[in-house]
Amino acid sequence: AKTPARKNTVCLMYDKDAEAAARPAEGEWSAREIVCHLLAGERGTQGFLAELVDGNVRMYDGFGGM
């Protein structure tokens, strides 16, 4: 049986963790770094959107504090 296709799904497969961590060229990000960056951004956005839905707005001081 075929696995149904899923939209917006990316699957990265590497034989070893070192392959995912390898940078393709100097100054470029590895596959692992890209995925971690995307996950961190998504988690932050998720919390922000949940607060907006609840009627709250975060206030920032521009220096990473609230």
Side-chain angles (χ1 to χ4, degrees), residues 58-66:
R58 291 183 185 182
M59 302 302 274
Y60 294 95
D61 62 9
F63 298 98
M66 291 176 47

Side-chain angles (χ1 to χ4, degrees), residues 21-34:
R23 292 183 171 183
E26 185 177 335
E28 293 188 12
W29 289 14
S30 69
R32 182 171 55 181
E33 289 172 315
I34 293 168

Side-chain angles (χ1 to χ4, degrees), residues 2 4 6-7 10 12-14 17 22-23 25 27 29-30 33 40 46 49-51 54 56-57 60 62:
K2 289 186 177 182
R6 294 183 184 174
K7 290 184 179 181
V10 177
L12 302 173
M13 296 188 68
Y14 293 92
D17 190 47
R23 292 183 171 183
W29 289 14
S30 69
E33 289 172 315
Q46 222 171 26
L49 292 175
E51 288 185 11
D54 287 340
N56 301 314
V57 178
Y60 294 95

